[in-house]
Amino acid sequence: MTDLSKYIREIPDFPKVGIQYKDITPLLQSPEAIKEAVAQFLKLIGNEKIDKVVGIESRGFLFGMLLAEKLNAGFVPIRKPGKLPAETYSEVYELEYGKDTLEIHCDAIKKGERIILHDDVLATGGTARTACNLVKKMGAEIVQCNFLIELEFLNGRNKLRSYPVESLLKY
Ligand code: AMP
C-alpha cells in the first residue's frame, strides 16, 4: 500500500507565521498516489449509495470530482462569495479575525439526497461545519464528511459531531 504521507509537503509559516501548511501538490503529481487516495476514500465510504459529492473551494474540488465519478454521483461546488453565477444560499462563519461566507447554488441539491462532503484539510472545522449547515438546510442527508488530512490537535471533528468523519492522514 502506498504511504500517502510521503506526498504531503510541509511549508512552515505559510500563508502566515505559525501555520504549518500541508501542501498536497506533490500528491497530485503522482498517478499512484492519486489512485491510492481514491481507493482509500472508496473503502471508507463502502457500499453507501451517494447522490452528490460536495467539494469545498478550491482544493476540495480535486478529489471531490474524482470521487463523484467513481461513486456514480454528481458533484456540487461550495464556493467563496460572488463566484457562483446563479441563485445561491449563503452562510456566514467566524474566522480567527473577522467573518467569511460560503455559497451553494439553490438548485444544486434536492431534499433527501445522500451527500459526501469533501475537503483537502480539516483544521478547526469551521469551514466544513458551515458547508454542512448549507447542505442540511437544503434537506439533504450527510452520509460522511471526508478529508485527505486531519489536523487532530485542532479538534475540528468536534464541530462535525452530528456526522461521520473520516480522514486518510492524521497529524
Ligand atoms: P478550518 O475551517 O480551520 O477547518 O480550515 C479548513 C480550510 O482551510 C480548508 O479548506 C483547508 O484547505 C485550509 N487549511 C487550514 N489549515 C490548513 C493547513 N495547515 N494546510 C493547508 N490547508 C489548510
Side-chain angles (χ1 to χ4, degrees), residues 8-11 14-15 18-24 56-60 80 93-95 118-130 147 149 151 153-154 156 159-160:
I8 306 300
R9 174 165 59 184
E10 312 234 0
I11 313 278
F14 182 88
I19 306 278
Q20 269 281 82
Y21 188 85
K22 300 281 189 274
D23 178 20
I24 65 164
I56 304 175
E57 178 168 0
S58 56
R59 291 180 300 276
K80 308 275 165 60
Y93 64 110
E94 301 283 334
L95 297 173
H118 170 78
D119 202 0
D120 65 333
V121 175
L122 175 63
T124 65
T127 308
R129 183 170 64 183
T130 306
F147 305 88
I149 294 167
L151 305 179
F153 55 93
L154 293 175
K159 291 212 177 78
L160 302 174

Side-chain angles (χ1 to χ4, degrees), residues 58-124:
S58 56
R59 291 180 300 276
F61 297 171
L62 302 164
F63 280 94
M65 191 63 220
L66 291 175
L67 288 179
E69 195 274 333
K70 291 286 185 203
L71 292 165
N72 199 26
F75 176 80
V76 173
I78 284 193
R79 298 205 64 180
K80 308 275 165 60
K83 304 274 190 173
L84 289 169
E87 199 188 338
T88 57
Y89 295 122
S90 63
E91 173 123 354
V92 179
Y93 64 110
E94 301 283 334
L95 297 173
E96 200 178 342
Y97 302 103
K99 291 178 195 303
D100 214 340
T101 305
L102 290 178
E103 295 186 341
I104 190 167
H105 271 150
C106 298
D107 65 356
I109 291 173
K110 292 180 190 65
K111 218 174 242 168
E113 282 191 325
R114 291 167 56 78
I115 305 294
I116 296 278
L117 186 99
H118 170 78
D119 202 0
D120 65 333
V121 175
L122 175 63
T124 65

Side-chain angles (χ1 to χ4, degrees), residues 12-53:
D13 299 325
F14 182 88
K16 55 184 185 187
V17 176
I19 306 278
Q20 269 281 82
Y21 188 85
K22 300 281 189 274
D23 178 20
I24 65 164
T25 61
L27 193 157
L28 300 177
Q29 289 178 34
S30 161
E32 295 79 37
I34 293 170
K35 284 196 192 84
E36 176 66 23
V38 169
Q40 289 188 22
F41 278 125
L42 292 176
K43 200 169 166 197
L44 291 170
I45 295 163
N47 290 325
E48 299 282 1
K49 160 94 184 79
I50 304 300
D51 298 300
K52 303 266 170 65
V53 177

